[in-house]
Amino acid sequence: MIRRHTRALMPLAALTIGATAGAVSLTGMAGAETTGTAGAATTGVVRTGAGEDGYSSSSRPSFNFGASDTLVAGRSGADTMVTYLKFTVANPGPGATVKNAQVVLTRESKALPNTLSLSRVADTTWTEKSLTAKNDPAIGAVVSNAKPKSDAATVTFDVSAVVKGAGTYTFAVTSRVANTPARFRSSEAATGKPSLNLTVARPAATKPPVEATPTPTKPAPTPSKPAPTPSKPVATPTTPAPTTPAPTTPAGGCAVDAKLVPSCGVLWGAAAGGFSDVPRDEALKTFEQKSGRTSTIYHTYHKGDELFPTKNEIAMTSDPANPRTLMLNWKVGYGTKWANVANGDQDARIDRLSTYIKTNYGTKKFFMVLHHEPENDVVATAGSGMTAKDYAAMFRHTVLRMKANGVTNAVFVVAYMNYEKWNNTSWWGDLYPGDDVVDWVGVDTYNNAQPGGFHTGDFNYMMNRTNAPAKFPGWYTWATTKHPGKPIMVAEWGVYDSSTVVDGKNKANVFATVLPQLAKMPQIKGLVYFETAKDQNGHDIRMDDTPEALAAFQKIAADPRFNVKI
């Protein structure tokens, strides 16, 4: 009881530290901006994601929030919430010296309090799945204070005095500010996950690895880019025979119908410049120039009360020399729960966007994805407002409301994660909103090009992988069996290479399997590449990170099956 009273006065989030070398997991080099001259030391940044994170709530002492994509720290009335973070840092290499270390958290929503503290936590045995206010570890001395602006995108804590090298480090974030709890993105979030960033100096003779991939202590599913687990099957990319013929295209080309389904061929698209500050339209134009083809589908992302399509997005679909259509991803339930949207609590938000679309985009057809990759946000507990059935109800309500508002040009897409952990759950099938409100069935899926690595395989593996065929037959098989009348949209796809030293032929080998295997999947009518130099797990998903990869990708883009007129 004494500890609980003491805790109530502490600031927002907490950190625990223990230097158990046996607990260390391999972390990557962040794409490693190395500096220095010949014969001199080089420096680089090593980023480690949180292996465990969660928060406790004094007014809900038995609640566990380990599966939430949000971390909360601070005070709201009589409720005191504390965020806990655990990082396992790998050995940065022989002779390496940690120059400084920072914990970086991304604001999820709401205004930040003007003071936050990061404290040391001695206990490293806690887990996010069991963390509650009844058993949360004691908070130690404050390591770092931050005074962020209320709308700051990120909050950084200097932990250089504590983090000197490999080990397991646990922290707590807290705040004394009344009624202004901070909300950060957790490691379950699609983007902006917590990270511990080390600036490391290395002797000139020691070459840092080009990139290494974390071995997380828990699955870290992402939009899109789920972290693989050892239980997943491994497949080896198979380079197809060069004689595999491409589907023939009519002399007049392929066209689309009222639901943007092509009469033949496949729609080609991209979401370029992800996780960067480059404007998306500029990034897409660069992507098109490098790949050699206009991206018929221009994929962008929006949430909450944002109005779209924006002026720049509209301009991109008004270029007669480069005809494009939009794929707009909208998290209509941002800042609330799916059940609340389904119950009509966000009808004003839906109505406002409906009016904007009718006024600014007329009747031009576009794809709309409602809350992509919902699996990552499901809270399966009945009454949570975020169950799989709540998602389906949210999707249905939003579609029907927009149609009732007179929005006739939206083509609705449901986009799954293709992550085995979620596919095998008992609730996964409950996510589907219904054939009457779903126009296309979509999937976000990624492969590792590292030979023998986890989630390594060819294009067929990317679309149809499974680690429990009795529970789930593979995504493409599921879609074509359960929804044979629906066109399939590969709403995001990409290839990264987790090899310690990236070999250009690895990604090229995977790209070489796309065309022949795509020809055997006729229900796929849209293929949209997600391009980023570094996703939330540090993966480089650019199609041109090596000359070999670019050359192989250009062969895909040049294929005539993508000559679809919109």
Side-chain angles (χ1 to χ4, degrees):
M1 290 299 296
I2 294 176
R3 183 174 70 82
R4 293 279 353 136
H5 287 300
T6 302
R7 269 288 303 281
L9 297 176
M10 293 296 294
L12 235 162
L15 257 193
T16 323
I17 301 173
T20 8
V24 173
S25 62
L26 183 64
T27 48
M29 269 301 298
E33 308 150 350
T34 57
T35 60
T37 57
T42 61
T43 61
V45 178
V46 178
R47 296 180 175 88
T48 301
E52 303 276 347
D53 60 5
Y55 70 95
S56 63
S57 167
S58 63
S59 69
R60 294 162 288 177
S62 299
F63 276 53
N64 170 261
F65 303 96
S68 173
D69 63 357
T70 301
L71 300 169
V72 186
R75 297 167 57 191
S76 178
D79 190 8
T80 297
M81 291 157 283
V82 178
T83 286
Y84 287 85
L85 307 161
K86 185 190 294 185
F87 302 93
T88 300
V89 178
N91 190 326
T97 302
V98 176
K99 308 299 290 184
N100 63 66
Q102 298 176 325
V103 169
V104 180
L105 300 176
T106 301
R107 181 172 65 91
E108 192 270 337
S109 65
K110 309 296 184 184
L112 292 169
N114 57 20
T115 302
L116 291 165
S117 296
L118 185 104
S119 302
R120 190 169 182 170
V121 176
D123 181 3
T124 60
T125 63
W126 61 271
T127 66
E128 64 176 27
K129 292 182 179 179
S130 60
L131 180 71
T132 69
K134 287 184 176 181
N135 64 17
D136 54 2
I139 300 174
V142 173
V143 177
S144 178
N145 291 308
K147 296 184 179 297
K149 294 182 179 180
S150 62
D151 61 349
T154 60
V155 176
T156 300
F157 298 96
D158 188 345
V159 294
S160 304
V162 171
V163 181
K164 300 295 186 180
T168 298
Y169 300 88
T170 306
F171 301 95
V173 182
T174 57
S175 175
R176 297 175 182 267
V177 180
N179 297 320
T180 313
R183 296 173 64 86
F184 299 107
R185 297 178 187 178
S186 78
S187 58
E188 278 74 24
T191 61
K193 303 183 181 194
S195 66
L196 174 56
N197 302 341
L198 276 60
T199 300
V200 176
R202 293 181 171 83
T206 302
K207 294 184 178 180
V210 175
E211 182 176 356
T213 298
T215 303
T217 58
K218 62 172 183 178
T222 99
S224 2
K225 322 325 174 254
T229 61
S231 62
K232 293 182 178 61
V234 176
T236 302
T238 56
T239 304
T243 56
T244 303
T248 58
T249 302
C254 305
V256 297
D257 64 14
K259 295 294 185 181
L260 295 177
V261 180
S263 57
C264 59
V266 179
L267 293 170
W268 174 263
F275 306 102
S276 75
D277 296 328
V278 179
R280 289 300 177 89
D281 54 342
E282 293 182 16
L284 185 71
K285 290 177 181 178
T286 300
F287 180 90
E288 292 174 339
Q289 186 274 325
K290 290 181 178 180
S291 65
R293 178 181 287 275
T294 295
S295 295
T296 304
I297 297 177
Y298 173 28
H299 193 178
T300 65
Y301 301 79
H302 298 280
K303 60 190 178 183
D305 290 320
E306 295 176 359
L307 293 175
F308 55 87
T310 65
K311 290 182 179 179
N312 287 342
E313 289 167 352
I314 294 172
M316 289 289 281
T317 63
S318 303
D319 179 0
N322 298 283
R324 306 180 184 94
T325 190
L326 291 171
M327 181 185 292
L328 301 168
N329 194 310
W330 188 30
K331 289 192 173 183
V332 60
Y334 186 78
T336 185
K337 296 180 177 180
W338 293 330
N340 295 339
V341 177
N343 290 334
D345 292 355
Q346 295 298 318
D347 281 357
R349 174 180 286 178
I350 298 171
D351 295 348
R352 181 168 173 259
L353 180 65
S354 298
T355 300
Y356 178 88
I357 290 173
K358 290 189 296 181
T359 302
N360 294 276
Y361 210 55
T363 59
K364 185 181 292 186
K365 295 288 183 178
F366 67 95
F367 293 104
M368 177 173 277
V369 182
L370 293 179
H371 200 120
H372 73 312
E373 302 177 1
E375 299 98 318
N376 200 40
D377 297 317
V378 168
V379 179
T381 306
S384 67
M386 294 293 287
T387 66
K389 290 182 179 179
D390 291 327
Y391 170 79
M394 176 278 297
F395 192 109
R396 290 189 61 82
H397 180 83
T398 303
V399 172
L400 295 175
R401 183 85 183 182
M402 292 186 71
K403 289 183 176 179
N405 288 337
V407 176
T408 59
N409 51 335
V411 176
F412 292 98
V413 183
V414 57
Y416 297 95
M417 286 184 71
N418 196 21
Y419 183 41
E420 296 93 324
K421 174 183 177 180
W422 304 130
N423 296 341
N424 295 340
T425 63
S426 60
W427 49 257
W428 191 83
D430 294 334
L431 289 167
Y432 191 72
D435 284 347
D436 58 326
V437 292
V438 172
D439 297 314
W440 288 58
V441 182
V443 65
D444 297 353
T445 185
Y446 294 82
N447 261 16
N448 182 4
Q450 177 189 11
F454 294 116
H455 267 182
T456 296
D458 53 18
F459 184 75
N460 179 68
Y461 172 74
M462 186 187 299
M463 291 301 302
N464 232 8
R465 59 179 171 238
T466 178
N467 60 10
K471 292 182 178 180
F472 190 76
W475 195 89
Y476 184 82
T477 299
W478 168 83
T480 54
T481 302
K482 295 294 185 180
H483 307 286
K486 297 295 180 183
I488 288 175
M489 173 68 72
V490 184
E492 290 181 15
W493 75 283
V495 182
Y496 57 91
D497 185 354
S498 290
S499 303
T500 301
V501 177
V502 173
D503 188 334
K505 69 181 181 182
N506 292 344
K507 191 177 286 190
N509 285 343
V510 178
F511 286 153
T513 69
V514 173
L515 292 177
Q517 294 178 359
L518 180 62
K520 298 178 181 179
M521 301 181 190
Q523 206 160 314
I524 294 179
K525 302 297 184 181
L527 191 65
V528 182
Y529 198 83
F530 185 92
E531 188 259 0
T532 179
K534 185 176 298 174
D535 71 357
Q536 67 270 33
N537 292 319
H539 296 144
D540 188 339
I541 313 179
R542 291 175 297 175
M543 46 81 184
D544 64 332
D545 60 336
T546 67
E548 298 93 333
L550 176 59
F553 192 84
Q554 288 172 334
K555 290 181 180 179
I556 302 174
D559 193 87
R561 78 191 73 189
F562 302 114
N563 297 340
V564 180
K565 297 178 181 179
I566 58 169

PDB file of all heavy atoms in Angstrom, residues 86 94 122 126 151 165 218 309 359 426 488 553:
ATOM      1  N   LYS A  86      10.356  -2.023 -22.017  1.00  0.00           N
ATOM      2  CA  LYS A  86      11.518  -2.906 -21.842  1.00  0.00           C
ATOM      3  C   LYS A  86      12.237  -3.053 -23.173  1.00  0.00           C
ATOM      4  O   LYS A  86      11.632  -3.403 -24.184  1.00  0.00           O
ATOM      5  CB  LYS A  86      11.093  -4.273 -21.328  1.00  0.00           C
ATOM      6  CG  LYS A  86      12.281  -5.208 -21.002  1.00  0.00           C
ATOM      7  CD  LYS A  86      11.823  -6.633 -20.717  1.00  0.00           C
ATOM      8  CE  LYS A  86      10.998  -6.734 -19.467  1.00  0.00           C
ATOM      9  NZ  LYS A  86      10.660  -8.149 -19.138  1.00  0.00           N
ATOM     10  N   PRO A  94      32.699  -5.251 -31.370  1.00  0.00           N
ATOM     11  CA  PRO A  94      33.985  -5.136 -30.683  1.00  0.00           C
ATOM     12  C   PRO A  94      34.550  -3.726 -30.779  1.00  0.00           C
ATOM     13  O   PRO A  94      34.582  -3.122 -31.851  1.00  0.00           O
ATOM     14  CB  PRO A  94      34.868  -6.150 -31.425  1.00  0.00           C
ATOM     15  CG  PRO A  94      34.206  -6.356 -32.755  1.00  0.00           C
ATOM     16  CD  PRO A  94      32.751  -6.193 -32.500  1.00  0.00           C
ATOM     17  N   ALA A 122      14.017  -1.441 -11.699  1.00  0.00           N
ATOM     18  CA  ALA A 122      15.007  -2.496 -11.460  1.00  0.00           C
ATOM     19  C   ALA A 122      14.528  -3.868 -11.916  1.00  0.00           C
ATOM     20  O   ALA A 122      15.323  -4.713 -12.325  1.00  0.00           O
ATOM     21  CB  ALA A 122      15.375  -2.535  -9.981  1.00  0.00           C
ATOM     22  N   TRP A 126       8.985  -8.523 -15.554  1.00  0.00           N
ATOM     23  CA  TRP A 126       7.578  -8.295 -15.902  1.00  0.00           C
ATOM     24  C   TRP A 126       7.356  -8.500 -17.405  1.00  0.00           C
ATOM     25  O   TRP A 126       8.276  -8.337 -18.211  1.00  0.00           O
ATOM     26  CB  TRP A 126       7.133  -6.888 -15.493  1.00  0.00           C
ATOM     27  CG  TRP A 126       7.894  -5.783 -16.173  1.00  0.00           C
ATOM     28  CD1 TRP A 126       9.044  -5.190 -15.770  1.00  0.00           C
ATOM     29  CD2 TRP A 126       7.549  -5.158 -17.422  1.00  0.00           C
ATOM     30  NE1 TRP A 126       9.447  -4.236 -16.672  1.00  0.00           N
ATOM     31  CE2 TRP A 126       8.550  -4.191 -17.698  1.00  0.00           C
ATOM     32  CE3 TRP A 126       6.500  -5.302 -18.320  1.00  0.00           C
ATOM     33  CZ2 TRP A 126       8.522  -3.380 -18.821  1.00  0.00           C
ATOM     34  CZ3 TRP A 126       6.478  -4.503 -19.451  1.00  0.00           C
ATOM     35  CH2 TRP A 126       7.476  -3.545 -19.694  1.00  0.00           C
ATOM     36  N   ASP A 151       1.661  19.673 -28.760  1.00  0.00           N
ATOM     37  CA  ASP A 151       1.412  18.983 -30.029  1.00  0.00           C
ATOM     38  C   ASP A 151       2.672  18.365 -30.615  1.00  0.00           C
ATOM     39  O   ASP A 151       2.723  18.045 -31.813  1.00  0.00           O
ATOM     40  CB  ASP A 151       0.805  19.946 -31.044  1.00  0.00           C
ATOM     41  CG  ASP A 151       1.719  21.130 -31.358  1.00  0.00           C
ATOM     42  OD1 ASP A 151       2.730  21.326 -30.639  1.00  0.00           O
ATOM     43  OD2 ASP A 151       1.424  21.869 -32.316  1.00  0.00           O
ATOM     44  N   GLY A 165      25.662  -0.025 -23.044  1.00  0.00           N
ATOM     45  CA  GLY A 165      25.972  -1.115 -23.952  1.00  0.00           C
ATOM     46  C   GLY A 165      24.890  -2.169 -23.917  1.00  0.00           C
ATOM     47  O   GLY A 165      23.731  -1.882 -23.615  1.00  0.00           O
ATOM     48  N   LYS A 218       8.653 -10.586 -28.647  1.00  0.00           N
ATOM     49  CA  LYS A 218       7.228 -10.803 -28.869  1.00  0.00           C
ATOM     50  C   LYS A 218       6.961 -10.493 -30.315  1.00  0.00           C
ATOM     51  O   LYS A 218       7.707  -9.770 -30.956  1.00  0.00           O
ATOM     52  CB  LYS A 218       6.397  -9.876 -27.983  1.00  0.00           C
ATOM     53  CG  LYS A 218       6.658  -8.431 -28.318  1.00  0.00           C
ATOM     54  CD  LYS A 218       5.701  -7.540 -27.592  1.00  0.00           C
ATOM     55  CE  LYS A 218       5.932  -6.101 -28.003  1.00  0.00           C
ATOM     56  NZ  LYS A 218       5.003  -5.201 -27.372  1.00  0.00           N
ATOM     57  N   PRO A 309     -10.124  13.495 -50.689  1.00  0.00           N
ATOM     58  CA  PRO A 309      -8.743  13.655 -51.140  1.00  0.00           C
ATOM     59  C   PRO A 309      -8.273  15.109 -51.047  1.00  0.00           C
ATOM     60  O   PRO A 309      -9.062  16.037 -51.230  1.00  0.00           O
ATOM     61  CB  PRO A 309      -8.776  13.170 -52.594  1.00  0.00           C
ATOM     62  CG  PRO A 309     -10.196  13.338 -53.020  1.00  0.00           C
ATOM     63  CD  PRO A 309     -11.024  13.101 -51.799  1.00  0.00           C
ATOM     64  N   THR A 359     -18.433  17.322 -52.970  1.00  0.00           N
ATOM     65  CA  THR A 359     -18.156  18.691 -53.417  1.00  0.00           C
ATOM     66  C   THR A 359     -16.852  18.790 -54.193  1.00  0.00           C
ATOM     67  O   THR A 359     -16.753  19.527 -55.186  1.00  0.00           O
ATOM     68  CB  THR A 359     -18.105  19.645 -52.209  1.00  0.00           C
ATOM     69  OG1 THR A 359     -19.341  19.579 -51.504  1.00  0.00           O
ATOM     70  CG2 THR A 359     -17.833  21.070 -52.647  1.00  0.00           C
ATOM     71  N   SER A 426      -9.517 -17.678 -33.352  1.00  0.00           N
ATOM     72  CA  SER A 426     -10.923 -18.073 -33.516  1.00  0.00           C
ATOM     73  C   SER A 426     -11.783 -16.923 -34.009  1.00  0.00           C
ATOM     74  O   SER A 426     -12.861 -17.143 -34.570  1.00  0.00           O
ATOM     75  CB  SER A 426     -11.460 -18.585 -32.179  1.00  0.00           C
ATOM     76  OG  SER A 426     -11.372 -17.573 -31.181  1.00  0.00           O
ATOM     77  N   ILE A 488      -9.391  -9.446 -55.902  1.00  0.00           N
ATOM     78  CA  ILE A 488      -8.402  -9.326 -54.827  1.00  0.00           C
ATOM     79  C   ILE A 488      -7.483  -8.151 -55.102  1.00  0.00           C
ATOM     80  O   ILE A 488      -6.950  -7.994 -56.203  1.00  0.00           O
ATOM     81  CB  ILE A 488      -7.583 -10.622 -54.688  1.00  0.00           C
ATOM     82  CG1 ILE A 488      -8.460 -11.721 -54.083  1.00  0.00           C
ATOM     83  CG2 ILE A 488      -6.345 -10.399 -53.837  1.00  0.00           C
ATOM     84  CD1 ILE A 488      -7.780 -13.064 -54.008  1.00  0.00           C
ATOM     85  N   PHE A 553      12.890  -5.447 -60.562  1.00  0.00           N
ATOM     86  CA  PHE A 553      11.592  -4.804 -60.372  1.00  0.00           C
ATOM     87  C   PHE A 553      11.130  -4.129 -61.659  1.00  0.00           C
ATOM     88  O   PHE A 553       9.936  -4.135 -61.983  1.00  0.00           O
ATOM     89  CB  PHE A 553      11.676  -3.784 -59.237  1.00  0.00           C
ATOM     90  CG  PHE A 553      10.334  -3.274 -58.778  1.00  0.00           C
ATOM     91  CD1 PHE A 553       9.587  -3.986 -57.854  1.00  0.00           C
ATOM     92  CD2 PHE A 553       9.818  -2.090 -59.269  1.00  0.00           C
ATOM     93  CE1 PHE A 553       8.338  -3.525 -57.437  1.00  0.00           C
ATOM     94  CE2 PHE A 553       8.577  -1.621 -58.864  1.00  0.00           C
ATOM     95  CZ  PHE A 553       7.836  -2.342 -57.942  1.00  0.00           C
TER      96      PHE A 553
END
